[in-house]
């Protein structure tokens, strides 16, 4: 398994080589193709997952079948830990949006590490606090921002985490369909399409298959505020 990406993840960066090697012996590899889920909302869970490569969407389904995306996670990030700290069924369905490789760790193995290494606990708390901050911000945006503003913000966030320089801007290969992008910003596909079309027409971005190229990041930033 290519564990270099995990070695650099904040959670493990402080561990000595021996402790890290012992931990990686306990990891099991999980390979997913686009569209396959590693677990579903409501399942019982006894392990958590680190993303080695690819991307995972975390989604919840309402009674009427509509889907809402909580987050898109990429390499080095972890998920599935809530069932460990607050034993209860999975709170979301985790689905690969591209070819994805995960490393699974049994809760009992993480628990043993946390008992002996307080700095790992501190890193984990920081990751959870960061997630809460992000969730609070999304909640405020749902109340205070219009759909184009939320689309602009979501694209900037995806650019921050997955963007790469391109000849004429920043290529953001988010791997999401327009339906999934709409689920991420909490709006209908039609409204999100309209916002994207307006950004294209103004020359702020170019659309590609499951990707965008941001051509004018300043304007997009202004629109996201
Ligand atoms: P768990 O409930 O075990 O399974 C679903 C996982 O989704 C959950 O653990 C968290 O790791 C993750 N998750 C839940 N809510 C959020 C959120 N708001 N932002 C990012 N990840 C989340």
């Amino acid at each position: 398994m290519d564990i270099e990406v995990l070695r650099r993840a904040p959670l493990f960066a402080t561990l000595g080589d021996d402790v890290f090697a012992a931990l990686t012996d306990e990891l099991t590899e999980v390979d997913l193709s686009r569209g396959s889920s590693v677990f579903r909302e409501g399942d019982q869970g006894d392990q958590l997952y680190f993303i080695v490569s690819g991307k995972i969407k975390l989604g919840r389904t309402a009674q009427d079948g509509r889907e809402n995306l909580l987050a898109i996670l990429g390499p080095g990030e972890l998920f599935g830990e809530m069932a460990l700290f607050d034993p209860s069924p999975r709170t979301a369905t985790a689905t690969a949006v591209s070819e994805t490789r995960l490393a699974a760790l049994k809760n009992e193995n993480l628990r043993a590490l946390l008992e002996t290494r307080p700095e790992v606990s501190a890193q984990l708390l920081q990751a959870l606090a960061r997630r809460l901050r992000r969730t609070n911000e999304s909640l405020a945006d749902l109340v205070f921002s219009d759909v184009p503003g939320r689309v602009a913000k979501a694209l900037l966030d995806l650019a921050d985490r997955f963007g790469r320089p391109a000849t004429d801007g920043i290529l953001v290969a988010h791997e999401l369909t327009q339906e999934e992008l709409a689920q991420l910003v909490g709006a209908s596909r039609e409204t999100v399409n309209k916002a994207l079309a307006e950004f294209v027409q103004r020359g702020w971005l170019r659309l590609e298959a499951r990707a965008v190229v941001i051509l004018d990041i300043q304007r997009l930033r202004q629109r996201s505020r």
Side-chain angles (χ1 to χ4, degrees), residues 94-112:
T95 307
V97 293
S98 59
E99 292 282 305
T100 297
R101 174 161 293 177
L102 304 175
L105 182 67
K106 292 254 172 247
N107 287 351
E108 64 209 49
N109 293 332
L110 181 69
R111 202 172 277 126

Side-chain angles (χ1 to χ4, degrees), residues 27-212:
L27 296 173
T28 39
E29 199 172 287
V30 181
D31 283 317
L32 299 171
S33 51
R34 177 177 163 81
S36 38
S37 299
V38 60
F39 58 71
R40 306 199 66 81
E41 191 179 344
D43 287 354
Q44 296 299 325
D46 65 349
Q47 51 187 3
L48 65 154
Y49 299 87
F50 300 95
I51 304 178
V52 177
S53 59
K55 290 185 192 68
I56 288 284
K57 65 173 180 179
L58 294 166
R60 295 173 63 114
T61 310
Q63 294 278 341
D64 62 5
R66 282 180 304 163
E67 245 199 89
N68 158 241
L69 294 186
L70 298 171
I72 306 293
L73 304 182
E77 294 187 282
L78 89 157
F79 62 93
E81 79 300 327
M82 280 168 66
L84 162 65
F85 297 118
D86 177 23
S88 52
R90 297 291 191 193
T91 53
T93 299
T95 307
V97 293
S98 59
E99 292 282 305
T100 297
R101 174 161 293 177
L102 304 175
L105 182 67
K106 292 254 172 247
N107 287 351
E108 64 209 49
N109 293 332
L110 181 69
R111 202 172 277 126
L113 180 69
L114 296 179
E115 274 162 19
T116 52
R117 307 298 297 238
E119 74 273 26
V120 178
S121 304
Q123 287 294 343
L124 202 51
L125 285 172
Q126 192 183 45
L128 294 178
R130 204 175 297 133
R131 184 188 295 167
L132 182 59
R133 184 176 296 140
R134 184 185 280 260
T135 304
N136 286 350
E137 199 156 314
S138 304
L139 196 60
D141 288 340
L142 271 176
V143 177
F144 299 121
S145 299
D146 61 1
V147 174
R150 304 209 297 268
V151 172
K153 201 159 187 180
L155 292 176
L156 289 167
D157 174 54
L158 292 164
D160 253 3
R161 294 182 307 132
F162 307 121
R164 274 180 286 127
T167 45
D168 53 350
I170 304 164
L171 170 67
V172 188
H174 52 62
E175 314 278 359
L176 304 175
T177 61
Q178 292 200 348
E179 179 70 45
E180 288 168 327
L181 196 57
Q183 292 167 350
L184 186 64
V185 300
S188 71
R189 192 161 65 89
E190 292 70 24
T191 337
V192 170
N193 284 355
K194 216 169 123 201
L196 287 170
E198 189 194 316
F199 295 167
V200 168
Q201 195 242 326
R202 288 174 184 267
W204 299 352
L205 47 91
R206 197 173 69 234
L207 300 181
E208 294 192 356
R210 294 201 187 121
V212 298

